Amino acid sequence: MSDASTTPAAAVSESPRPSRRAHLTARVLQIVLALFFGIASAAPKLIGHSSAKESFDAIGFGDWFMYLTGALELAGAIALVIPILSGVSALALIGLMIGALIAQLTAFDGQNALTPVVLIVPLAVIAWVRRNHTAELSARIRGRG
């Protein structure tokens, strides 16, 4: 006999729901960041623009890493606007931005180190507001296992 309050679905429904204003703010941030990551950040990497190539050559990982990073940014951008994936996407993009911060500090002497930090803040807001989506996704995945 299982207690309904211990099931993953019950845990999702019991967590406090963010306000309507928080949802609207998160949605606007999701759209703006999806456009940024998809167009301004991923596109130059995926088309092999010279500025992106120079940056990744300086890091020392070569073209393959540039294309991988661009693909991850594009996937994250798309997932940001899919409700069930938005929280996980924000967390994954935070991880990517931590990597970018490390690269900025080590390979570029911190020239643009503030950029990933500035992007982490709205991504953290999205991850927090969409935490119920993340919990729901986690419950769905565990339920199928």
Side-chain angles (χ1 to χ4, degrees):
M1 193 162 161
S2 81
D3 181 9
S5 65
T6 61
T7 64
V12 170
S13 64
E14 289 177 11
S15 39
R17 297 277 182 207
S19 70
R20 181 173 164 84
R21 178 177 291 158
H23 278 295
L24 181 59
T25 300
R27 181 48 108 185
V28 169
L29 289 173
Q30 287 169 246
I31 292 167
V32 170
L33 289 173
L35 289 170
F36 172 78
F37 279 107
I39 297 169
S41 194
K45 293 173 184 83
L46 293 173
I47 64 170
H49 191 271
S50 61
S51 63
K53 283 183 168 281
E54 291 169 9
S55 295
F56 281 86
D57 286 344
I59 295 170
F61 289 129
D63 288 351
W64 73 271
F65 195 68
M66 174 184 65
Y67 293 119
L68 174 64
T69 303
L72 291 172
E73 288 175 340
L74 182 59
I78 293 167
L80 269 178
V81 294
I82 299 172
I84 193 76
L85 299 176
S86 58
V88 170
S89 174
L91 291 171
L93 288 168
I94 287 171
L96 199 61
M97 290 300 97
I98 290 170
L101 176 62
I102 292 167
Q104 287 295 328
L105 293 173
T106 58
F108 301 107
D109 299 322
Q111 290 175 346
N112 295 311
L114 193 56
T115 302
V117 173
V118 168
L119 291 169
I120 286 170
V121 173
L123 287 168
V125 169
I126 294 167
W128 177 255
V129 172
R130 301 297 185 224
R131 66 192 180 277
N132 290 327
H133 289 305
T134 304
E136 180 183 346
L137 179 63
S138 177
R140 285 184 184 185
I141 290 169
R142 282 183 296 198
R144 292 183 182 166

